[in-house]
Amino acid sequence: WRITPWAYLGGTSALTSLHRLLGCKLGKNVSVQPGCIEDYDLVEVGDFSTIGGTILTETVSLGVQTTSRTRIGFNSHVSEKSIVSPKVVIEDNVTVGIRCAV
């Protein structure tokens, strides 16, 4: 994302449309920064939410890779440099602070 033209579309509707085309379930008026979502088909984001941190959907334990869904609720905000782990459900109207791990 850092050396592609998509890096300049952070937080715009064009980048949100690209995420939707790749399989991400995004609600209305969602703002996603470039490089925040790894596996598009495993992430669900509610309406009026903002994503600035990393959303993880896979873990590796003892050489076995496991993927799972991650859900972010209505009107929630994931701040920059924060990490949302796999299998996490962030409820509605929640803010994840800067450099926090959930």
Side-chain angles (χ1 to χ4, degrees), residues 44-73:
E44 180 180 342
V45 181
D47 297 341
F48 306 104
S49 296
T50 305
I51 309 299
T54 304
I55 309 298
L56 301 176
T57 57
E58 56 190 42
T59 57
V60 178
S61 178
L62 300 173
V64 178
Q65 181 179 6
T66 306
T67 59
S68 58
R69 292 195 168 278
T70 301
R71 183 184 176 281
I72 298 168

Side-chain angles (χ1 to χ4, degrees), residues 12-24:
T12 64
S13 60
L15 186 61
T16 303
S17 297
L18 174 66
H19 282 77
R20 284 189 181 115
L21 287 173
L22 294 172
C24 192

